[in-house]
Amino acid sequence: MIRGNRDNLSPRLLALIQEGQRDGSIHTDYAQELAELLSLLELWLGPTVYPASPEGERRKLELIQEMYAHFGIPLITDEFIDQVCTGIYGDGEP
Protein backbone atom coordinates (compact mmCIF):
# COMPACT_ATOMS: atom_id res chain seq x y z
CA MET A 1 0.00 0.00 0.00
CA ILE A 2 2.71 2.49 0.96
CA ARG A 3 4.86 1.63 -2.05
CA GLY A 4 1.82 1.84 -4.33
CA ASN A 5 0.95 5.25 -2.95
CA ARG A 6 4.52 6.44 -3.37
CA ASP A 7 4.93 5.07 -6.88
CA ASN A 8 1.43 5.69 -8.27
CA LEU A 9 -0.71 8.01 -6.19
CA SER A 10 1.89 10.66 -5.32
CA PRO A 11 2.88 11.31 -8.96
CA ARG A 12 -0.78 11.59 -9.99
CA LEU A 13 -1.50 14.00 -7.16
CA LEU A 14 1.59 16.01 -8.04
CA ALA A 15 0.39 16.33 -11.63
CA LEU A 16 -3.00 17.59 -10.44
CA ILE A 17 -1.44 20.08 -8.03
CA GLN A 18 0.92 21.36 -10.73
CA GLU A 19 -2.00 21.74 -13.12
CA GLY A 20 -3.75 23.83 -10.49
CA GLN A 21 -0.62 25.92 -10.08
CA ARG A 22 -0.52 26.57 -13.81
CA ASP A 23 -4.17 27.57 -14.03
CA GLY A 24 -3.92 29.69 -10.88
CA SER A 25 -6.37 27.68 -8.77
CA ILE A 26 -3.66 26.33 -6.42
CA HIS A 27 -1.05 28.52 -4.74
CA THR A 28 1.74 26.65 -3.03
CA ASP A 29 5.50 26.37 -3.07
CA TYR A 30 5.23 22.78 -1.83
CA ALA A 31 3.62 20.81 -4.66
CA GLN A 32 5.82 17.70 -4.30
CA GLU A 33 5.54 17.66 -0.52
CA LEU A 34 1.78 18.12 -0.57
CA ALA A 35 1.38 15.27 -3.04
CA GLU A 36 3.42 13.00 -0.80
CA LEU A 37 1.57 14.12 2.32
CA LEU A 38 -1.83 13.51 0.79
CA SER A 39 -0.86 9.98 -0.16
CA LEU A 40 0.33 9.37 3.42
CA LEU A 41 -2.90 10.78 4.82
CA GLU A 42 -4.77 8.03 2.99
CA LEU A 43 -2.94 5.57 5.25
CA TRP A 44 -3.83 7.61 8.34
CA LEU A 45 -7.50 7.58 7.33
CA GLY A 46 -7.48 3.79 6.94
CA PRO A 47 -9.66 2.37 9.71
CA THR A 48 -7.59 -0.79 9.96
CA VAL A 49 -4.41 1.22 10.57
CA TYR A 50 -5.75 3.99 12.82
CA PRO A 51 -9.24 3.04 14.02
CA ALA A 52 -11.52 5.93 14.94
CA SER A 53 -15.11 6.54 15.90
CA PRO A 54 -17.43 8.14 13.35
CA GLU A 55 -16.78 11.51 14.97
CA GLY A 56 -13.05 10.83 14.92
CA GLU A 57 -13.11 10.06 11.20
CA ARG A 58 -15.11 13.24 10.56
CA ARG A 59 -12.56 15.26 12.55
CA LYS A 60 -9.68 13.74 10.56
CA LEU A 61 -11.36 14.76 7.31
CA GLU A 62 -12.06 18.26 8.67
CA LEU A 63 -8.39 18.62 9.66
CA ILE A 64 -7.27 17.59 6.18
CA GLN A 65 -9.83 19.97 4.68
CA GLU A 66 -8.50 22.87 6.75
CA MET A 67 -4.88 22.03 6.08
CA TYR A 68 -5.31 21.83 2.32
CA ALA A 69 -7.46 24.97 2.22
CA HIS A 70 -4.60 26.78 3.95
CA PHE A 71 -2.34 25.78 1.05
CA GLY A 72 -4.88 26.93 -1.52
CA ILE A 73 -6.03 23.43 -2.44
CA PRO A 74 -9.82 23.30 -2.03
CA LEU A 75 -9.75 19.52 -2.30
CA ILE A 76 -12.23 18.56 0.40
CA THR A 77 -15.66 20.16 0.77
CA ASP A 78 -18.17 19.87 3.60
CA GLU A 79 -20.39 17.97 1.18
CA PHE A 80 -17.60 15.49 0.46
CA ILE A 81 -17.07 14.90 4.19
CA ASP A 82 -20.80 14.30 4.65
CA GLN A 83 -20.85 11.87 1.73
CA VAL A 84 -17.85 9.93 3.03
CA CYS A 85 -19.25 9.72 6.55
CA THR A 86 -22.66 8.72 5.25
CA GLY A 87 -21.09 6.06 3.08
CA ILE A 88 -19.08 4.63 5.97
CA TYR A 89 -21.47 5.06 8.90
CA GLY A 90 -24.92 5.30 7.33
CA ASP A 91 -26.18 8.64 8.60
CA GLY A 92 -22.80 10.27 9.08
CA GLU A 93 -23.40 10.85 12.76
CA PRO A 94 -21.55 9.25 15.67
Side-chain angles (χ1 to χ4, degrees):
M1 177 181 194
I2 294 172
R3 184 175 295 150
N5 281 3
R6 184 191 67 215
D7 296 343
N8 298 310
L9 184 59
S10 290
R12 289 178 182 175
L13 292 169
L14 177 59
L16 291 172
I17 292 168
Q18 290 172 330
E19 181 181 325
Q21 287 177 303
R22 285 190 297 276
D23 71 20
S25 63
I26 294 176
H27 307 281
T28 183
D29 294 327
Y30 303 98
Q32 177 70 42
E33 295 80 5
L34 286 169
E36 292 171 4
L37 181 59
L38 185 56
S39 68
L40 287 173
L41 289 174
E42 182 185 7
L43 179 66
W44 179 55
L45 288 170
T48 58
V49 180
Y50 290 98
S53 67
E55 181 58 28
E57 289 294 330
R58 179 176 287 280
R59 290 181 54 79
K60 286 180 181 183
L61 288 167
E62 290 170 346
L63 170 65
I64 295 168
Q65 176 188 37
E66 186 175 313
M67 181 182 67
Y68 272 82
H70 174 78
F71 284 103
I73 302 174
L75 183 66
I76 298 175
T77 64
D78 291 338
E79 180 179 72
F80 174 80
I81 292 172
D82 290 341
Q83 288 174 350
V84 169
C85 291
T86 299
I88 293 172
Y89 300 108
D91 64 3
E93 296 299 322

